[in-house]
Amino acid sequence: MHAASAGAPPTRRAVLRAAFTAAVLAGTAAALVPVLRARRPRQTVSPAPLAEETYRGRHIEVSAAGVRIDGRPLHVMRRADGSYLSGINHFESYGTPLELARAAVDELGTTQLALAAPHHG
């Protein structure tokens, strides 16, 4: 083996080795980004303000535990886009749990919710 002179152009082997090394480093960095992001403390989104009101003669309560209408639980689901839908109407979503509860009251009329939420499975 001999030492390459300072002014000589790089060999094909040296160029390929440098390109391969750069590709490996870029791939490793891309693979580590999600891992390093996951280690950072997550920002918490503050929950919507808790609400309690009487709407059309029905008592609505929105808390961290869920939504209740006249003390009975309303099955609420959060969609991927951040909106909410309920077991009362799966076809329409609402921006807040309170809007959802009001719509459920409109849909229920004088009917009461069941005491226990139905279980899927």
Side-chain angles (χ1 to χ4, degrees):
M1 290 187 128
H2 57 56
S5 60
T11 64
R12 180 174 169 225
R13 178 178 285 178
V15 170
L16 289 175
R17 184 180 297 148
F20 178 74
T21 302
V24 168
L25 289 174
T28 302
L32 286 177
V33 166
V35 173
L36 296 175
R37 281 191 181 153
R39 294 185 66 176
R40 269 193 271 162
R42 292 184 181 168
Q43 293 178 345
T44 57
V45 177
S46 59
L50 303 179
E52 190 171 342
E53 71 174 37
T54 300
Y55 176 75
R56 294 192 174 194
R58 308 292 288 271
H59 181 162
I60 297 173
E61 181 182 338
V62 179
S63 69
V67 176
R68 293 183 167 273
I69 298 175
D70 294 334
R72 296 171 183 239
L74 173 65
H75 183 68
V76 175
M77 295 162 279
R78 184 92 187 248
R79 295 182 46 154
D81 65 1
S83 63
Y84 298 87
L85 57 92
S86 73
I88 301 297
N89 185 349
H90 283 284
F91 305 107
E92 199 167 343
S93 58
Y94 300 90
T96 67
L98 185 58
E99 291 174 16
L100 173 80
R102 289 176 185 148
V105 166
D106 292 340
E107 186 73 26
L108 286 169
T110 59
T111 307
Q112 289 288 327
L113 287 170
L115 282 174
H119 294 283
H120 297 282

